[in-house]
Amino acid sequence: MTGNIATPTLPILIVEDDAAILELLEEELQEAGYPTLGVGSAEDAIATLSHSDVSLVISDVRLPGISGMQLLEQLRSEGSRLGFIVITAFGTIDQAVEALKIGADDFLTKPLDLEGVREAVYRVLENRRLAEQFLQENPPGHFHGIVGESESMQTLFHDAARLAKSDAPILILGESGTGKELLAQAIHKESPRAEESFIAINCASIPSELMESEFFGHVKGAFTGASESRQGLFQAANGGSLFLDEIGEMSPGLQAKLLRALQEKTIKAVGAEKEEAVDVRIIAATHRDLEQEIESGNFRSDLFFRLETFSLRIPPLRERHGDIQRLVSALIEKHATSQGKSIERVEPAALQALLDYPYPGNVRELENAIMRAVTLAESGLLSHGDLPERIRQHALEQRNAARSTDTNNALMPAVQQNSWPSLEEVEKRYIQKVLEATGGNKRRTADILGIARRTLYRRLEDE
């Protein structure tokens, strides 16, 4: 990342049996401001790690003796969470992808792009720094436990706090999993009714034939099986708030009675002769488009307009990406506490996967993923492998797509002219790149290319 350095306090360990490439990598990283240690085998790397602390390992896959993959596997099996970048030949990309699955943070392909080396090192070290400091950050902005520092959430909190002071009904709109019930609870806690009951009911979960009795209660003998009188949700919530989730599922007949209850502040139990007064604050919610439901004849327009006067929309998680990191931190703390566990660190790859995932199920999906990860986490570390498969798979697909784009850009510089470069042209460009990297040192260039200096001179003369 040109101009940016994630300077570690500890050296970067480079494991490369090709002395010229090892020297080139050490020079490149030292010039970028990174201290380095260089060894020629995985065995030497293990010996070095036994008595020296490092910030990152960069290892070739093919090494004499233990391979780079085996070195990675051994470190991960021992619980080491060092940053790890593998180097592989272009033709073994599948091997590099396998390394990512084992626990590598990134991979580089030969011939090495020195700018790409710097960028990869910066990215891995920066992600590691972010992960290490992640759980120690200040508590996020919140509204009665709802996390959100994004502008859209701050606006929502402000509007919700103002509306909470009135007794007017509120309609909360938002996709499934955005936290509509949490917002309803927050409004109740912010309101003058905070000391009274908060009753929540999902309208989709009540059979239509039982809805009226459930909402307004019934008297003894009102219908078969009504052996005694029973109060409904309105009576139970009297003086407090009644949250009607998925109000779009309510039958048109009950919608009419709900509208009357809102207007008259009275209800009539099933089988009763008289109405009774109730003092209930209605907070309704739905993920449906109620205007479309009105057009379809499924929802009453008069009830909609009564509710919609004071409506709040919770943005989906994809519209508040900046809140995800705070949410992850808060949810890890929540579920670690509930499970009696201590999560001290988050693996960088895990954090990055959580930040990049689109969350079609919104905050609910994120929380379920965190709860699972905390449950599986061991030794105080939440690792990439603890995440649900769909999140890990998405991270892998994103990485492969990015690699594919980078590879195409590297191999197809003449694509704008709608032509492929010849093998000879690619070879010339590569020779020039290595020559530039060695500062014009033809001996070192020839060593890196694996050709005799006489051959190098001949090819330079042909250009």
Side-chain angles (χ1 to χ4, degrees):
M1 198 164 280
T2 306
N4 290 322
I5 299 175
T7 305
T9 56
L10 299 172
I12 296 173
L13 176 62
I14 304 171
V15 190
E16 173 58 70
D17 64 319
D18 187 315
I21 295 180
L22 176 59
E23 182 181 357
L24 180 63
L25 284 171
E26 286 206 89
E27 286 184 358
E28 180 69 20
L29 293 176
Q30 287 170 11
E31 287 177 7
Y34 300 105
T36 64
L37 291 173
V39 296
S41 69
E43 288 83 353
D44 288 342
I46 292 169
T48 300
L49 291 170
S50 69
H51 59 75
S52 300
D53 292 328
V54 304
S55 61
L56 171 67
V57 176
I58 301 176
S59 176
D60 199 342
V61 169
R62 294 185 178 180
L63 296 168
I66 298 174
S67 72
M69 293 283 280
Q70 290 171 315
L71 173 62
L72 172 61
E73 287 180 324
Q74 180 172 329
L75 290 177
R76 292 298 182 248
S77 67
E78 293 172 353
S80 170
R81 297 301 165 182
L82 276 174
F84 202 107
I85 298 175
V86 298
I87 302 174
T88 181
F90 175 71
T92 57
I93 293 294
D94 288 345
Q95 192 174 37
V97 172
E98 183 61 30
L100 295 176
K101 292 180 180 179
I102 294 172
D105 293 281
D106 209 337
F107 67 85
L108 302 169
T109 56
K110 293 181 179 179
L112 292 174
D113 176 349
L114 295 180
E115 181 66 20
V117 171
R118 289 194 185 200
E119 290 181 355
V121 168
Y122 175 87
R123 184 168 54 250
V124 171
L125 289 175
E126 183 65 11
N127 285 345
R128 189 154 295 277
R129 182 195 65 78
L130 179 67
E132 289 172 353
Q133 296 181 356
F134 176 55
L135 296 176
Q136 283 73 47
E137 294 180 342
N138 295 323
H142 62 86
F143 179 63
H144 294 282
I146 305 175
V147 175
E149 286 193 331
S150 60
E151 184 178 350
S152 60
M153 291 301 288
Q154 289 298 307
T155 299
L156 175 66
F157 296 162
H158 176 70
D159 291 345
R162 288 194 302 164
L163 292 180
K165 305 305 179 186
S166 78
D167 264 345
I170 293 176
L171 177 63
I172 301 174
L173 304 171
E175 295 178 5
S176 295
T178 49
K180 296 187 286 294
E181 183 170 347
L182 286 177
L183 182 59
Q185 290 175 340
I187 291 170
H188 174 74
K189 292 174 184 176
E190 189 74 12
S191 76
R193 299 173 179 264
E195 300 302 319
E196 304 297 332
S197 299
F198 174 86
I199 305 292
I201 186 69
N202 188 320
C203 298
S205 67
I206 306 174
S208 57
E209 64 272 15
L210 299 179
M211 269 194 176
E212 185 175 358
S213 172
E214 191 72 25
F215 277 88
F216 305 123
H218 62 260
V219 299
K220 182 178 179 180
F223 51 83
T224 302
S227 57
E228 57 184 25
S229 297
R230 180 176 179 273
Q231 71 171 197
L233 295 169
F234 269 81
Q235 293 100 323
N238 196 34
S241 303
L242 178 59
F243 175 58
L244 306 179
D245 196 11
E246 298 304 341
I247 194 171
E249 305 292 337
M250 185 178 284
S251 67
L254 192 58
Q255 290 174 33
K257 294 185 178 182
L258 174 60
L259 178 61
R260 177 174 175 79
L262 289 173
Q263 293 173 333
E264 306 298 332
K265 297 189 181 299
T266 61
I267 62 167
K268 186 177 180 181
V270 177
E273 296 181 358
K274 296 180 180 179
E275 293 185 335
E276 59 180 298
V278 289
D279 174 24
V280 176
R281 194 330 169 37
I282 297 294
I283 306 174
T286 184
H287 74 282
R288 292 183 178 275
D289 183 338
L290 291 185
E291 292 186 74
Q292 186 175 328
E293 293 297 307
I294 291 171
E295 292 180 7
S296 302
N298 298 324
F299 203 82
R300 292 178 62 100
S301 59
D302 47 4
L303 177 58
F304 170 73
F305 292 125
R306 175 80 182 189
L307 294 171
E308 194 264 344
T309 302
F310 298 105
S311 63
L312 297 168
R313 175 183 176 272
I314 304 180
L317 200 49
R318 63 180 174 276
E319 292 181 11
R320 42 183 294 225
H321 187 268
D323 287 333
I324 294 178
Q325 183 170 317
R326 294 285 194 176
L327 280 164
V328 170
S329 180
L331 290 170
I332 288 175
E333 182 178 356
K334 171 185 174 181
H335 289 287
T337 300
S338 69
Q339 296 181 35
K341 302 180 75 170
S342 175
I343 303 298
E344 299 170 356
R345 293 179 296 143
V346 178
E347 193 174 65
L351 178 57
Q352 197 61 52
L354 287 167
L355 292 176
D356 290 344
Y357 187 70
Y359 297 104
N362 293 295
V363 179
R364 181 186 296 133
E365 182 178 12
L366 171 59
E367 178 160 15
N368 289 339
I370 294 297
M371 180 171 63
R372 177 191 191 276
V374 169
T375 301
L376 296 177
E378 297 178 337
S379 304
L381 174 76
L382 192 150
S383 71
H384 185 262
D386 298 328
L387 300 177
E389 172 64 23
R390 64 184 180 281
I391 294 179
R392 288 184 282 123
Q393 184 62 35
H394 180 268
L396 182 58
E397 289 171 358
Q398 290 288 97
R399 188 184 293 269
N400 287 344
R403 291 297 181 192
S404 176
T405 299
D406 291 345
T407 300
N408 288 339
N409 289 340
L411 296 179
M412 296 167 54
V415 120
Q416 291 180 344
Q417 287 76 39
N418 296 317
S419 63
W420 288 82
S422 66
L423 183 59
E424 183 180 2
E425 290 172 332
V426 172
E427 184 180 80
K428 287 179 180 178
R429 289 180 187 139
Y430 179 45
I431 290 173
Q432 284 300 325
K433 234 177 177 358
V434 177
L435 193 62
E436 290 169 10
T438 61
N441 187 318
K442 294 183 175 63
R443 180 188 61 77
R444 288 183 59 211
T445 298
D447 288 343
I448 291 172
L449 294 173
I451 59 178
R453 267 185 286 174
R454 184 182 306 170
T455 304
L456 174 63
Y457 284 118
R458 187 175 65 251
R459 292 187 182 178
L460 290 174
E461 290 171 358
D462 291 341
E463 291 185 6

